[in-house]
C-alpha cells in the first residue's frame, strides 16, 4: 500500500486546496510565497510563522484597535489575507500563479534594517528573530501612543515576553 502523505498545514501544500468558511462558499488558497531571488530565508520564515493562525487572528483583532500606521504589521497581514489564513477575502493573490508575492514584507523589513537588503542568501533564523523583534517594537509603540490600547499592550506582553523559571 502506498503511504498517504499527511498535510500538516494546508496553506502551503503543493496542491490547490479549498475550504468552506461559510456553507455554500469556497475559497482557493494560494500555494505559497513567490521566491524573489535568494529569498528562501524570508519565505521559509514567513511560512513557519504563518502556520500560527491564532497568533495572526489575534494580531488582526489588535489592528482593528488603532488607526496608527503599522507598516510591518500591515505588510504581514496583507500576506496572511492573500494566503487566506485569516479567512478574509484574498486581496492580492494572483489567480494565474496561485502564489503570493512577499515583496511588501521585504520592502518593510529593508526600511527597518539593512541586514536583509539586496537579494543575497541570508539566515532564516536571523530574519525571523528580527521580524518578531521589529513587530513587537511597532506594536509596543502603537500601544504607548494610544492610551485606549491597553488591550494591545497586554497582548504584546503576553505573546512576546518569555518568562523562564530556574529551579535549583
Amino acid at each position: 500500500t502506498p503511504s498517504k502523505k499527511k498535510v500538516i498545514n494546508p496553506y502551503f501544500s503543493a496542491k490547490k486546496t479549498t475550504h468552506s468558511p461559510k456553507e455554500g462558499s469556497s475559497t482557493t488558497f494560494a500555494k505559497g510565497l513567490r521566491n524573489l531571488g535568494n529569498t528562501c530565508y524570508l519565505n521559509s520564515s514567513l511560512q513557519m510563522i504563518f502556520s500560527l493562525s491564532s497568533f495572526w487572528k489575534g494580531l488582526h483583532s489588535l489592528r482593528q484597535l488603532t488607526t496608527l500606521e503599522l507598516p510591518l504589521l500591515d505588510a504581514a497581514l496583507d500576506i496572511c489575507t492573500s494566503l487566506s489564513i485569516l479567512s478574509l477575502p484574498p486581496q492580492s493573490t494572483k489567480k494565474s500563479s496561485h502564489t503570493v508575492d512577499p515583496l511588501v514584507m521585504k520592502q518593510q523589513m529593508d526600511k527597518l534594517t539593512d541586514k536583509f537588503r539586496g537579494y543575497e542568501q541570508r539566515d532564516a533564523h536571523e530574519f525571523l528573530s528580527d521580524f518578531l523583534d521589529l513587530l513587537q517594537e511597532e506594536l509596543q509603540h502603537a500601544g504607548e501612543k494610544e492610551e485606549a490600547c491597553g488591550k494591545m499592550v497586554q497582548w504584546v506582553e503576553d505573546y512576546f515576553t518569555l518568562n523562564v523559571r530556574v529551579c535549583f
Side-chain angles (χ1 to χ4, degrees):
T1 12
S3 65
K4 290 191 175 188
K5 189 175 178 183
K6 184 177 179 183
V7 177
I8 295 172
N9 188 338
Y11 305 113
F12 305 110
S13 68
K15 294 181 179 180
K16 192 191 308 184
T17 309
T18 60
H19 88 124
S20 298
K22 295 180 183 173
E23 202 170 306
S25 68
S26 68
T27 303
T28 301
F29 291 124
K31 287 183 182 178
L33 301 169
R34 185 172 71 87
N35 191 325
L36 304 172
N38 288 331
T39 57
C40 297
Y41 69 91
L42 174 114
N43 292 357
S44 64
S45 297
L46 292 178
Q47 287 179 357
M48 188 282 303
I49 196 148
F50 287 157
S51 70
L52 307 171
S53 60
S54 62
F55 178 73
W56 292 102
K57 287 176 184 174
L59 285 170
H60 181 260
S61 296
L62 285 181
R63 184 62 182 111
Q64 308 309 308
L65 298 176
T66 182
T67 57
L68 292 174
E69 287 188 29
L70 300 172
L72 187 58
L73 177 59
D74 289 341
L77 289 174
D78 180 54
I79 294 172
C80 281
T81 301
S82 297
L83 291 170
S84 300
I85 291 169
L86 295 171
S87 298
L88 301 172
Q91 295 173 354
S92 61
T93 301
K94 295 182 180 178
K95 294 182 186 213
S96 60
S97 65
H98 297 290
T99 60
V100 175
D101 190 339
L103 183 61
V104 66
M105 174 63 74
K106 174 138 179 44
Q107 290 171 337
Q108 286 305 317
M109 287 295 289
D110 287 349
K111 287 179 185 177
L112 298 170
T113 180
D114 60 356
K115 289 182 184 178
F116 307 102
R117 286 199 180 127
Y119 293 91
E120 297 174 14
Q121 291 182 357
R122 306 285 185 195
D123 183 68
H125 180 265
E126 186 175 2
F127 176 83
L128 181 60
S129 178
D130 282 10
F131 168 70
L132 290 173
D133 286 346
L134 292 167
L135 183 61
Q136 178 186 9
E137 288 175 20
E138 184 175 87
L139 292 170
Q140 280 179 324
H141 181 68
E144 291 166 2
K145 262 189 161 178
E146 290 194 10
E147 293 174 16
C149 286
K151 181 179 178 182
M152 182 180 289
V153 172
Q154 185 61 49
W155 194 91
V156 171
E157 285 180 19
D158 291 346
Y159 275 84
F160 287 96
T161 302
L162 174 65
N163 293 313
V164 179
R165 287 186 193 187
V166 179
C167 301
F168 293 97

